[in-house]
Amino acid sequence: MTRTYPSPAEMDAAVARLCRGELVGFPTETVYGLAGAADSPEAVARIYALKGRPVAHPLIVHLARSSAITDCAREVPASAFALAEAFWPGPLTLVLPRHPRILTAVTGGQDTVALRVPAHPVAAALLEAFGRPVAAPSANRYGRISPTTAAHVRDEFGADLPLVLDGGPCEVGLESTIVGWLGGQWTVLRPGLIGIGALQAVVGAVAASAGAGAPRVSGSDAAHYAPRTLTRLTVAAELALDSDRVAVLARRPRPAGFAGLAWLEAPADAVGYGRRLYADLRRLDALGAREIRVETAPDGVEWDAIRDRLRRAAAR
Ligand code: TXA
Ligand code: MG
């Protein structure tokens, strides 16, 4: 994977913007984020305004290192440290009881806070240089597909976001796994690359999904991560039927009879598929197709996060 690094001058400019309460686009290993100082009410308000995100939908607080967890959460079970030890820096977000110093604007008014130490070297360098926690949702307008390249972020925000640090294409390509410490047990709130089995191997019991009364997760709105073009999940045998002005994403080559606009052949392995998924959906969404058809994903647990995102992309 080609990795790009911003110049030292760009890194300095990014830190200066964060210090002024302004926003910066930055790469993480999962997707690009829209960063603002987590302890600045102005910065947090700007994040919600720029994304067009409802203020009740909480943001993830990004930390330079796991030791900062106790500055942000008022109760940290030993198992949270075990998860941090096993998976940070990396694509895992922990939801814990909010420390009073965390702005309620960051947590959407909830009494819990989402924390993550990202692994991308540019994210790590930015957090280290800024020296304070950074609140960052994915750098897309509310409800749209998350960005996995700096160009995607520029497409989303244009001149409204003057500085986007380019760290190359994201290695994971799907948002972090979110696991919450709720009512004395761990619950997966959003599936990601780190699967439930890997979490269970570290902390024992982990519940698969949130029940009633669980905190809001904006990614759990039905129509989320969605292309503008009508998107449908389709079994392989029906991908090429009546294909006029249709755009397809499938784990197989384009068949002879396909008469549509585009056929993208996706990797057959879940990790490779996830890395490319959002870029592929953006390409297909730009074609002015009548319909995007995506081949349904396989059943295995390694496809959990992908099935989740495809379901949302196709929700209306
Ligand atoms: O991979 C990621 O997590 C990326 C990168 C930039 O770190 N960030 C990301 O942020 O996906 P965003 O805002 O698009 O999604 C954050 C998710 C939302 O679904 C939000 O509701 C949930 O985290 N979340 C944040 N705080 C929470 C809390 N206290 N309780 C439950 N869910 C929370
Ligand atoms: Mg998002």
Side-chain angles (χ1 to χ4, degrees):
M1 179 131 306
T2 42
R3 200 165 250 162
T4 316
Y5 289 94
S7 68
E10 281 177 303
M11 290 300 285
D12 289 349
V15 171
R17 286 184 64 84
L18 293 176
C19 288
R20 290 195 302 266
E22 294 168 351
L23 308 184
V24 175
F26 78 116
T28 83
E29 71 279 22
T30 58
V31 301
Y32 274 69
L34 180 63
D39 54 4
S40 160
E42 296 76 25
V44 172
R46 283 185 172 127
I47 291 173
Y48 283 97
L50 187 57
K51 268 192 77 102
R53 175 166 173 150
V55 292
H57 288 214
L59 306 175
I60 295 176
V61 175
H62 295 68
L63 308 171
R65 58 195 63 185
S66 20
S67 55
I69 199 171
T70 47
D71 299 333
C72 302
R74 67 172 185 273
E75 178 201 329
V76 187
S79 52
F81 290 113
L83 289 170
E85 175 73 20
F87 300 110
W88 283 354
L92 180 70
T93 296
L94 302 181
V95 172
L96 293 167
R98 179 182 69 89
H99 193 285
R101 73 161 61 86
I102 298 292
L103 296 173
T104 52
V106 168
T107 68
Q110 300 187 71
D111 198 32
T112 53
V113 61
L115 302 172
R116 166 161 127 77
V117 177
H120 194 294
V122 174
L126 181 70
L127 288 164
E128 187 64 40
F130 181 50
R132 285 150 59 194
V134 155
S138 53
N140 52 280
R141 307 262 183 197
Y142 180 64
R144 296 297 170 196
I145 303 169
S146 294
T148 54
T149 67
H152 293 163
V153 183
R154 295 192 193 102
D155 289 347
E156 288 283 327
F157 299 116
D160 291 345
L161 184 66
L163 184 57
V164 180
L165 298 175
D166 190 344
C170 299
E171 218 168 304
V172 176
L174 300 175
E175 302 81 356
S176 60
T177 304
I178 303 180
V179 64
W181 178 248
L182 310 170
Q185 71 153 10
W186 291 104
T187 300
V188 174
L189 301 175
R190 179 174 71 184
L193 179 73
I194 296 173
I196 191 165
L199 300 172
Q200 285 165 338
V202 175
V203 298
V206 178
S209 73
R216 286 177 297 272
V217 179
S218 79
S220 66
D221 286 359
H224 214 82
Y225 313 106
R228 291 184 164 82
T229 311
L230 177 69
T231 301
R232 292 184 199 282
L233 303 184
T234 306
V235 295
E238 292 174 5
L239 287 166
L241 295 181
D242 183 21
S243 58
D244 182 47
R245 294 188 44 240
V246 160
V248 170
L249 177 62
R251 290 171 290 106
R252 61 198 69 239
R254 175 186 180 123
F258 180 71
L261 287 177
W263 181 291
L264 296 185
E265 186 178 345
D269 70 294
V271 170
Y273 188 104
R275 183 179 293 146
R276 271 188 37 187
L277 174 62
Y278 290 154
D280 284 349
L281 287 177
R282 278 174 183 266
R283 272 176 71 186
L284 297 178
D285 200 22
L287 298 175
R290 169 168 69 87
E291 180 178 308
I292 294 173
R293 284 184 197 156
V294 182
E295 181 181 353
T296 51
D299 283 340
V301 286
E302 71 276 24
W303 293 86
D304 278 356
I306 290 160
R307 283 194 309 274
D308 171 74
R309 302 312 190 278
L310 292 181
R311 219 172 19 247
R312 296 177 200 292
R316 271 297 182 275

